[in-house]
């Protein structure tokens, strides 16, 4: 449970960046905050310039969350599909921000909507990555009852990514909520099984189990730290590594 400053850099050629929809709303309570979207695009741009191939999955909680809709009496399947459509809106916003920086980007949707996004075809997606295009996977897995965490782990496995970078509001995984408990301890590394057994809240159980089964490490870091994404790839920064 020590800081990871000065750790030996790990070279990655292809990674998945998973962020929540809430990360795009800045200080607002809802929706998209364009300056925040542009700031996150800057983070992606800095890593893209290192030659790293990048996939992204963005949640939809800033617009609509299926579980919350279901809790308010909406039929769960319908609510989940609405949540998937929210992720497409976020993906298009991020695509626009990345293209404004001169980065070639493709939004690939698990639900067909050919006018705004490409359908998911694995070999085509891999080819985009090989051409150094940033891919944003939208609409989750295309199925209700699965979170965008699970979608990110599934797509990362299919794309042969070497790690999932989970951008959050805190700089790693803690034994309890660091916002509520000042004495919370941060893990430098933690196993998949420990995350599941202690309910550490890194990702949902399905995503963690899928990552474990495919030996796919998860790097949890603060997306609010400027340069944090690039810093980890260069061997700097504070983060938690979840692995076997």
């Amino acid at each position: 449970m020590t800081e990871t400053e000065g750790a030996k850099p790990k070279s990655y050629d292809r990674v998945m960046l998973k962020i929540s929809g809430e990360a795009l709303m800045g200080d607002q309570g809802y929706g998209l905050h364009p300056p925040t979207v542009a700031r996150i695009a800057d983070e992606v741009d800095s890593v893209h310039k290192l030659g790293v191939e990048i996939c992204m999955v963005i949640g939809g909680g800033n617009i609509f969350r299926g579980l919350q809709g279901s809790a308010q009496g909406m039929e769960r399947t319908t609510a989940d599909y609405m949540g998937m459509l929210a992720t497409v809106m976020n993906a298009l916003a991020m695509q626009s921000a990345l293209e404004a920086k001169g980065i070639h980007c493709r939004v690939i949707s698990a639900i067909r909507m050919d006018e705004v996004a490409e359908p998911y075809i694995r070999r085509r997606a891999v080819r985009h990555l090989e051409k150094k295009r940033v891919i944003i996977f939208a609409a989750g897995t295309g199925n209700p009852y699965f979170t965008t965490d699970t979608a990110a782990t599934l797509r990362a496995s299919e794309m042969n990514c070497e790690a999932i970078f989970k951008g959050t509001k805190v700089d790693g995984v803690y034994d309890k909520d660091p916002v509520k408990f000042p004495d919370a301890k941060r893990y430098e590394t933690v196993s998949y099984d420990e995350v599941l057994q202690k309910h550490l809240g890194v990702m949902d159980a399905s995503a963690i189990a899928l990552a474990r089964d495919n030996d796919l490490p998860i790097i949890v870091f603060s997306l609010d730290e400027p340069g944090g994404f690039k810093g980890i790839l260069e061997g700097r920064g504070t983060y938690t590594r979840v692995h076997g």
Side-chain angles (χ1 to χ4, degrees), residues 203-223:
M203 289 179 163
D204 66 83
S206 297
I208 293 295
L210 184 58
R212 179 190 60 193
D213 293 346
N214 290 282
D215 196 24
L216 185 62
I218 303 166
I219 310 297
V220 183
F221 71 105
S222 172
L223 197 65

Side-chain angles (χ1 to χ4, degrees), residues 148-164:
T148 51
D149 280 343
T150 301
T153 309
L154 173 64
R155 297 299 185 224
S157 300
E158 290 179 302
M159 294 296 104
N160 294 317
C161 291
E162 295 162 305
I164 298 173

Side-chain angles (χ1 to χ4, degrees), residues 17-21 23-25 32-45 54-59 62-63 86-107 134-138 223:
L17 175 62
K18 168 62 172 70
I19 61 177
S20 67
L24 303 185
M25 65 187 187
L32 288 158
H33 184 238
T36 299
V37 177
R39 181 184 63 78
I40 294 173
D42 282 335
E43 298 289 318
V44 175
D45 183 32
I54 305 169
C55 310
M56 296 181 69
V57 168
I58 306 171
N62 58 318
I63 299 172
T87 71
V88 177
M89 296 174 68
N90 285 338
L92 292 173
M94 182 57 64
Q95 180 187 41
S96 178
L98 289 169
E99 288 180 341
K101 299 181 184 303
I103 299 174
H104 295 289
C105 182
R106 296 290 187 274
V107 173
V134 172
I135 293 178
I136 307 174
F137 291 109
L223 197 65

